[in-house]
Coordinates of all heavy atoms in Angstrom, one line a residue:
M22 N 97.1 140.9 120.2 CA 97.7 140.9 121.5 C 96.7 140.4 122.6 O 97.1 139.7 123.5 CB 98.3 142.3 121.9 CG 99.0 142.4 123.2 SD 100.5 141.5 123.1 CE 101.1 141.6 124.7
I23 N 95.5 140.8 122.4 CA 94.5 140.4 123.4 C 94.2 138.9 123.3 O 94.1 138.2 124.3 CB 93.2 141.2 123.1 CG1 93.4 142.7 123.5 CG2 92.0 140.6 124.0 CD1 92.2 143.5 123.1
A24 N 94.3 138.3 122.1 CA 94.1 136.9 121.9 C 95.2 136.1 122.6 O 95.0 135.1 123.2 CB 94.0 136.6 120.4
A25 N 96.4 136.6 122.6 CA 97.6 135.9 123.2 C 97.4 135.9 124.7 O 97.6 134.9 125.4 CB 98.9 136.6 122.8
V26 N 97.0 137.1 125.3 CA 96.9 137.2 126.7 C 95.7 136.3 127.2 O 95.8 135.6 128.2 CB 96.6 138.7 127.1 CG1 96.3 138.8 128.6 CG2 97.9 139.5 126.8
T27 N 94.6 136.3 126.4 CA 93.4 135.5 126.7 C 93.8 134.0 126.7 O 93.4 133.2 127.6 CB 92.3 135.8 125.8 OG1 92.0 137.2 125.8 CG2 91.0 135.0 126.2
T28 N 94.5 133.6 125.7 CA 94.9 132.2 125.6 C 95.8 131.8 126.7 O 95.7 130.7 127.3 CB 95.6 132.0 124.2 OG1 94.8 132.4 123.2 CG2 96.0 130.5 124.0
L29 N 96.8 132.7 127.0 CA 97.7 132.4 128.1 C 97.0 132.3 129.5 O 97.2 131.3 130.3 CB 98.8 133.5 128.2 CG 99.9 133.2 129.2 CD1 100.6 132.0 128.9 CD2 100.8 134.4 129.3
S30 N 96.0 133.2 129.7 CA 95.3 133.1 131.0 C 94.4 131.8 131.0 O 94.2 131.2 132.1 CB 94.4 134.4 131.2 OG 93.4 134.4 130.2
F31 N 93.8 131.4 129.9 CA 93.1 130.2 129.8 C 93.9 129.0 130.1 O 93.5 128.1 130.9 CB 92.4 130.1 128.5 CG 91.7 128.7 128.3 CD1 90.5 128.5 128.9 CD2 92.3 127.7 127.5 CE1 89.9 127.2 128.7 CE2 91.7 126.5 127.4 CZ 90.5 126.3 127.9
L32 N 95.1 128.9 129.6 CA 96.0 127.8 129.8 C 96.5 127.8 131.3 O 96.6 126.7 131.8 CB 97.2 127.9 128.9 CG 96.9 127.6 127.4 CD1 98.1 127.8 126.5 CD2 96.3 126.2 127.2
V33 N 96.7 128.9 131.9 CA 97.1 128.9 133.3 C 95.9 128.5 134.2 O 96.1 127.7 135.1 CB 97.5 130.4 133.7 CG1 97.7 130.5 135.2 CG2 98.9 130.7 133.0
A34 N 94.7 128.9 133.9 CA 93.6 128.5 134.6 C 93.3 127.0 134.5 O 93.0 126.2 135.4 CB 92.3 129.3 134.2
A35 N 93.5 126.5 133.2 CA 93.3 125.0 133.0 C 94.3 124.2 133.7 O 94.1 123.2 134.3 CB 93.3 124.7 131.5
W36 N 95.6 124.7 133.7 CA 96.7 124.0 134.4 C 96.4 124.0 135.9 O 96.6 123.0 136.6 CB 98.0 124.7 134.1 CG 99.1 124.1 134.9 CD1 99.8 122.9 134.6 CD2 99.7 124.5 136.2 NE1 100.7 122.7 135.6 CE2 100.7 123.7 136.6 CE3 99.4 125.6 137.0 CZ2 101.4 123.8 137.7 CZ3 100.1 125.8 138.1 CH2 101.1 124.9 138.5
A37 N 95.9 125.1 136.5 CA 95.7 125.2 137.9 C 94.5 124.2 138.3 O 94.5 123.6 139.3 CB 95.3 126.6 138.3
T38 N 93.5 124.1 137.4 CA 92.4 123.2 137.7 C 92.8 121.7 137.7 O 92.5 121.0 138.6 CB 91.3 123.4 136.6 OG1 90.9 124.8 136.7 CG2 90.1 122.5 136.9
V39 N 93.6 121.4 136.7 CA 94.1 120.0 136.6 C 95.0 119.7 137.8 O 95.0 118.6 138.4 CB 94.9 119.8 135.2 CG1 95.6 118.5 135.2 CG2 93.9 119.9 134.1
Y40 N 95.9 120.6 138.2 CA 96.8 120.4 139.3 C 95.9 120.2 140.6 O 96.3 119.4 141.4 CB 97.7 121.6 139.5 CG 98.7 121.5 140.6 CD1 99.8 120.6 140.5 CD2 98.5 122.2 141.8 CE1 100.6 120.4 141.5 CE2 99.4 122.0 142.8 CZ 100.5 121.2 142.7 OH 101.3 121.0 143.8
A41 N 94.9 121.0 140.8 CA 94.1 120.9 142.0 C 93.4 119.6 142.0 O 93.2 118.9 143.1 CB 93.1 122.0 142.1
V42 N 92.9 119.1 140.9 CA 92.2 117.8 140.8 C 93.2 116.7 141.1 O 92.9 115.7 141.9 CB 91.6 117.6 139.5 CG1 91.1 116.1 139.3 CG2 90.4 118.5 139.3
I43 N 94.4 116.8 140.6 CA 95.5 115.7 140.8 C 95.8 115.7 142.3 O 96.0 114.6 142.9 CB 96.7 116.0 140.0 CG1 96.3 115.7 138.5 CG2 97.9 115.1 140.4 CD1 97.4 116.0 137.5
V44 N 96.0 116.8 142.9 CA 96.4 116.9 144.3 C 95.2 116.4 145.2 O 95.4 115.6 146.2 CB 96.7 118.3 144.8 CG1 96.8 118.5 146.3 CG2 98.0 118.7 144.1
G45 N 94.0 116.7 144.8 CA 92.8 116.2 145.6 C 92.7 114.7 145.4 O 92.3 114.0 146.4
L46 N 92.9 114.1 144.3 CA 92.8 112.7 144.1 C 94.0 111.9 144.7 O 94.0 110.7 144.9 CB 92.6 112.3 142.6 CG 91.3 112.7 142.0 CD1 91.3 112.3 140.5 CD2 90.2 111.9 142.7
D47 N 95.1 112.6 144.9 CA 96.3 111.9 145.4 C 96.1 111.3 146.8 O 96.6 110.2 147.0 CB 97.5 112.9 145.5 CG 98.8 112.3 145.9 OD1 99.0 111.1 145.4 OD2 99.6 112.9 146.6
D48 N 95.3 112.0 147.6 CA 95.0 111.4 148.9 C 94.1 110.2 148.9 O 94.3 109.2 149.6 CB 94.4 112.5 149.8 CG 95.3 113.6 150.1 OD1 96.5 113.4 150.0 OD2 94.8 114.7 150.4
S49 N 93.1 110.2 148.0 CA 92.1 109.1 148.0 C 92.4 108.1 146.8 O 91.6 107.3 146.6 CB 90.7 109.7 147.8 OG 90.6 110.4 146.6
S50 N 93.5 108.3 146.1 CA 93.7 107.4 145.0 C 93.9 105.9 145.5 O 93.5 105.0 144.8 CB 94.9 107.8 144.2 OG 96.1 107.8 145.0
A51 N 94.5 105.7 146.6 CA 94.7 104.4 147.1 C 93.4 103.7 147.4 O 93.2 102.5 147.2 CB 95.6 104.4 148.3
K52 N 92.5 104.5 148.0 CA 91.1 104.0 148.3 C 90.4 103.6 147.0 O 89.7 102.6 146.9 CB 90.3 105.0 149.1 CG 90.9 105.2 150.5 CD 90.0 106.2 151.2 CE 90.6 106.6 152.6 NZ 89.8 107.6 153.2
I53 N 90.5 104.4 146.0 CA 89.8 104.2 144.7 C 90.4 102.9 144.1 O 89.6 102.1 143.6 CB 90.0 105.4 143.8 CG1 89.2 106.6 144.4 CG2 89.5 105.1 142.4 CD1 89.5 107.9 143.6
V54 N 91.7 102.8 144.0 CA 92.3 101.6 143.4 C 91.9 100.3 144.2 O 91.6 99.3 143.6 CB 93.8 101.7 143.4 CG1 94.5 100.4 143.0 CG2 94.2 102.8 142.4
A55 N 91.9 100.4 145.5 CA 91.4 99.2 146.3 C 90.0 98.9 146.1 O 89.6 97.7 146.0 CB 91.7 99.5 147.8
A56 N 89.1 99.9 145.9 CA 87.7 99.6 145.6 C 87.5 99.0 144.2 O 86.7 98.1 144.0 CB 86.9 100.9 145.7
L57 N 88.3 99.5 143.3 CA 88.2 98.9 141.9 C 88.7 97.4 141.9 O 88.2 96.6 141.1 CB 89.0 99.7 140.9 CG 88.4 101.1 140.6 CD1 89.4 101.9 139.7 CD2 87.1 101.0 140.0
K58 N 89.7 97.1 142.8 CA 90.2 95.7 142.9 C 89.2 94.8 143.7 O 89.4 93.6 143.7 CB 91.5 95.7 143.5 CG 92.6 96.2 142.6 CD 94.0 96.1 143.3 CE 95.1 96.6 142.5 NZ 96.4 96.5 143.2
G59 N 88.3 95.4 144.4 CA 87.4 94.7 145.2 C 87.9 94.4 146.6 O 87.5 93.5 147.3
D60 N 88.9 95.2 147.0 CA 89.6 95.0 148.3 C 89.3 96.1 149.2 O 90.1 96.4 150.1 CB 91.1 94.8 148.0 CG 91.8 94.3 149.3 OD1 91.2 93.5 150.0 OD2 93.0 94.7 149.4
S61 N 88.2 96.8 149.1 CA 87.9 97.9 150.0 C 87.4 97.5 151.3 O 87.1 96.3 151.5 CB 86.9 98.8 149.3 OG 85.6 98.2 149.3
M62 N 87.3 98.4 152.3 CA 86.9 98.0 153.6 C 85.4 97.5 153.6 O 85.0 96.7 154.4 CB 87.0 99.2 154.5 CG 88.4 99.7 154.8 SD 89.3 98.4 155.8 CE 88.4 98.6 157.3
L63 N 84.6 98.0 152.7 CA 83.2 97.6 152.6 C 83.0 96.2 152.0 O 82.0 95.6 152.2 CB 82.4 98.6 151.9 CG 82.3 100.0 152.5 CD1 81.5 101.0 151.6 CD2 81.6 99.9 153.8
A64 N 84.0 95.8 151.2 CA 83.9 94.5 150.5 C 84.4 93.4 151.4 O 84.1 92.2 151.2 CB 84.8 94.5 149.3
R65 N 85.1 93.7 152.5 CA 85.5 92.7 153.5 C 84.4 92.3 154.4 O 83.4 93.1 154.6 CB 86.7 93.2 154.3 CG 87.9 93.4 153.4 CD 89.0 93.9 154.3 NE 90.2 94.3 153.4 CZ 91.1 95.1 153.8 NH1 91.1 95.6 155.0 NH2 92.1 95.4 153.0
E66 N 84.5 91.1 155.0 CA 83.5 90.7 156.0 C 83.7 91.6 157.3 O 84.9 91.9 157.6 CB 83.7 89.2 156.4 CG 83.4 88.3 155.2 CD 83.5 86.9 155.6 OE1 83.4 86.6 156.8 OE2 83.6 86.0 154.8
P67 N 82.7 91.9 157.9 CA 82.8 92.8 159.1 C 83.5 92.0 160.3 O 83.4 90.8 160.4 CB 81.4 93.1 159.5 CG 80.5 92.1 158.9 CD 81.3 91.6 157.6
V68 N 84.2 92.7 161.1 CA 84.9 92.2 162.2 C 83.9 91.9 163.3 O 83.2 92.8 163.7 CB 86.0 93.1 162.7 CG1 86.7 92.5 163.9 CG2 87.0 93.4 161.6
L69 N 83.9 90.7 163.8 CA 82.9 90.3 164.8 C 83.4 90.8 166.1 O 84.5 90.5 166.5 CB 82.7 88.8 164.8 CG 82.1 88.2 163.6 CD1 82.0 86.7 163.7 CD2 80.7 88.8 163.3
T70 N 82.6 91.6 166.8 CA 83.0 92.1 168.1 C 81.9 91.7 169.1 O 80.8 91.4 168.8 CB 83.1 93.6 168.1 OG1 81.8 94.2 167.7 CG2 84.2 94.1 167.2
R71 N 82.3 91.7 170.4 CA 81.3 91.3 171.4 C 80.5 92.6 171.8 O 81.1 93.7 172.0 CB 82.2 90.9 172.6 CG 81.3 90.4 173.8 CD 82.2 89.9 174.8 NE 81.5 90.0 176.1 CZ 82.0 89.9 177.3 NH1 83.3 89.7 177.4 NH2 81.3 90.0 178.3
P72 N 79.2 92.4 171.9 CA 78.4 93.6 172.2 C 78.7 94.1 173.7 O 79.0 93.3 174.6 CB 77.0 93.1 172.1 CG 77.1 91.6 172.2 CD 78.4 91.2 171.7
V73 N 78.6 95.4 173.8 CA 78.9 96.0 175.1 C 77.6 96.1 175.9 O 76.6 96.5 175.4 CB 79.5 97.4 174.9 CG1 79.7 98.0 176.3 CG2 80.8 97.2 174.2
T74 N 77.6 95.7 177.2 CA 76.4 95.8 178.0 C 76.6 96.9 179.1 O 77.6 96.9 179.7 CB 76.2 94.4 178.7 OG1 76.0 93.4 177.8 CG2 74.9 94.5 179.6
V75 N 75.7 97.8 179.2 CA 75.7 98.8 180.1 C 74.6 98.7 181.1 O 73.4 98.5 180.7 CB 75.6 100.2 179.4 CG1 75.7 101.3 180.4 CG2 76.7 100.4 178.4
R76 N 74.9 98.6 182.4 CA 73.9 98.5 183.4 C 73.7 99.8 184.2 O 74.7 100.4 184.6 CB 74.2 97.3 184.3 CG 74.3 96.0 183.7 CD 74.5 94.9 184.7 NE 74.6 93.6 184.0 CZ 74.7 92.5 184.7 NH1 74.8 92.5 186.0 NH2 74.8 91.4 184.0
I77 N 72.5 100.2 184.3 CA 72.2 101.4 185.1 C 71.3 101.0 186.3 O 70.3 100.3 186.1 CB 71.5 102.4 184.2 CG1 72.4 102.8 183.1 CG2 71.1 103.6 185.1 CD1 71.7 103.7 182.1
S78 N 71.7 101.3 187.5 CA 71.0 101.0 188.7 C 70.3 102.2 189.3 O 71.0 103.3 189.4 CB 71.9 100.3 189.7 OG 71.3 100.1 190.9
G79 N 69.1 102.1 189.6 CA 68.4 103.2 190.2 C 68.4 103.1 191.7 O 67.6 103.8 192.4
R80 N 69.2 102.3 192.3 CA 69.2 102.1 193.8 C 69.8 103.3 194.5 O 69.3 103.6 195.6 CB 70.1 100.9 194.1 CG 69.5 99.6 193.6 CD 70.4 98.5 194.0 NE 70.0 97.3 193.3 CZ 70.7 96.2 193.3 NH1 71.8 96.1 194.0 NH2 70.3 95.1 192.6
H81 N 70.8 103.9 194.0 CA 71.4 105.0 194.8 C 70.7 106.3 194.4 O 70.7 106.7 193.3 CB 72.9 105.1 194.4 CG 73.6 103.8 194.6 ND1 73.9 103.3 195.8 CD2 74.1 102.9 193.7 CE1 74.5 102.1 195.7 NE2 74.7 101.9 194.4
P82 N 70.2 107.0 195.5 CA 69.6 108.3 195.2 C 70.6 109.3 194.9 O 71.7 109.3 195.3 CB 68.9 108.6 196.5 CG 69.6 107.8 197.6 CD 70.1 106.6 196.9
S83 N 70.2 110.3 194.1 CA 71.1 111.4 193.8 C 71.3 112.3 195.0 O 70.5 112.3 195.9 CB 70.5 112.2 192.6 OG 69.3 112.8 193.0
L84 N 72.3 113.1 194.9 CA 72.6 114.0 196.0 C 71.5 115.1 196.2 O 71.2 115.5 197.3 CB 73.9 114.7 195.8 CG 75.1 113.8 195.8 CD1 76.4 114.6 195.4 CD2 75.3 113.1 197.2
R85 N 70.9 115.5 195.1 CA 69.8 116.5 195.2 C 68.6 115.9 196.0 O 68.0 116.6 196.8 CB 69.4 116.9 193.8 CG 68.4 118.0 193.7 CD 68.1 118.4 192.3 NE 68.0 117.2 191.5 CZ 67.2 117.1 190.5 NH1 66.5 118.1 190.1 NH2 67.1 116.0 189.8
L86 N 68.2 114.7 195.7 CA 67.1 114.1 196.4 C 67.4 113.9 197.9 O 66.6 114.0 198.7 CB 66.6 112.8 195.7 CG 66.0 113.0 194.3 CD1 65.8 111.6 193.7 CD2 64.8 113.8 194.4
Q87 N 68.6 113.5 198.1 CA 69.1 113.2 199.5 C 69.1 114.5 200.3 O 68.7 114.4 201.5 CB 70.5 112.6 199.5 CG 70.8 111.9 200.7 CD 72.2 111.2 200.6 OE1 72.9 111.5 199.7 NE2 72.4 110.2 201.4
S88 N 69.5 115.6 199.8 CA 69.5 116.8 200.6 C 68.1 117.4 200.8 O 67.9 118.2 201.6 CB 70.4 117.8 199.9 OG 69.9 118.2 198.7
A89 N 67.1 117.0 200.0 CA 65.8 117.6 200.1 C 64.9 116.9 201.1 O 63.8 117.3 201.4 CB 65.1 117.6 198.7
R90 N 65.4 115.8 201.7 CA 64.6 115.1 202.7 C 64.5 115.9 204.0 O 65.4 116.6 204.4 CB 65.3 113.7 203.0 CG 65.2 112.8 201.8 CD 65.7 111.5 202.1 NE 65.6 110.6 200.9 CZ 66.2 109.5 200.8 NH1 67.0 109.0 201.8 NH2 66.1 108.8 199.7
A91 N 63.4 115.8 204.6 CA 63.1 116.5 205.8 C 63.8 115.9 207.0 O 63.9 114.7 207.1 CB 61.6 116.6 206.1
K92 N 64.3 116.8 207.9 CA 65.0 116.3 209.1 C 64.1 116.5 210.3 O 63.2 117.4 210.2 CB 66.3 117.1 209.2 CG 67.3 116.8 208.1 CD 68.6 117.6 208.4 CE 69.6 117.3 207.2 NZ 70.8 118.0 207.4
P93 N 64.3 115.8 211.3 CA 63.4 115.9 212.5 C 63.4 117.3 213.1 O 62.4 117.8 213.5 CB 64.0 114.9 213.5 CG 64.7 113.9 212.7 CD 65.2 114.7 211.5
E94 N 64.5 118.0 213.0 CA 64.5 119.4 213.5 C 63.6 120.3 212.7 O 63.0 121.2 213.3 CB 66.0 120.0 213.5 CG 67.0 119.2 214.4 CD 67.6 118.0 213.6 OE1 67.7 118.1 212.4 OE2 68.0 117.1 214.3
W95 N 63.6 120.1 211.4 CA 62.7 120.9 210.6 C 61.2 120.6 210.8 O 60.4 121.5 210.8 CB 63.0 120.7 209.1 CG 64.4 121.1 208.7 CD1 65.3 121.9 209.5 CD2 65.0 120.9 207.5 NE1 66.4 122.1 208.7 CE2 66.3 121.5 207.5 CE3 64.7 120.3 206.3 CZ2 67.2 121.5 206.4 CZ3 65.5 120.2 205.2 CH2 66.8 120.8 205.3
R96 N 60.9 119.3 211.1 CA 59.5 119.0 211.4 C 59.0 119.6 212.7 O 57.9 120.1 212.8 CB 59.4 117.4 211.5 CG 59.6 116.7 210.1 CD 59.2 115.3 210.3 NE 59.6 114.6 209.1 CZ 60.3 113.4 209.0 NH1 60.6 112.8 210.1 NH2 60.6 112.9 207.9
A97 N 59.9 119.6 213.7 CA 59.5 120.2 214.9 C 59.3 121.8 214.8 O 58.4 122.3 215.4 CB 60.6 120.0 216.0
A98 N 60.1 122.4 213.9 CA 60.0 123.8 213.8 C 58.7 124.2 213.0 O 58.2 125.3 213.2 CB 61.2 124.4 213.0
A99 N 58.3 123.3 212.2 CA 57.0 123.6 211.4 C 55.8 123.5 212.3 O 54.9 124.2 212.2 CB 56.9 122.6 210.2

């Protein structure tokens, strides 16, 4: 009786493992087939794009520096 229960539990565990592998490969199977055919995204030529240029100007002072400047009234009080 123990051998039958052990065999049944082994078969259930093996079936669950195979099922989990099949479900896991189901999502990526199209990518695997495309890679085997040589039609994957990495096998294609890269799409040429125009580089992006970002310009940063230091002309405008920040608000913190602007508020820290001395005013004539403060100079007179010192």
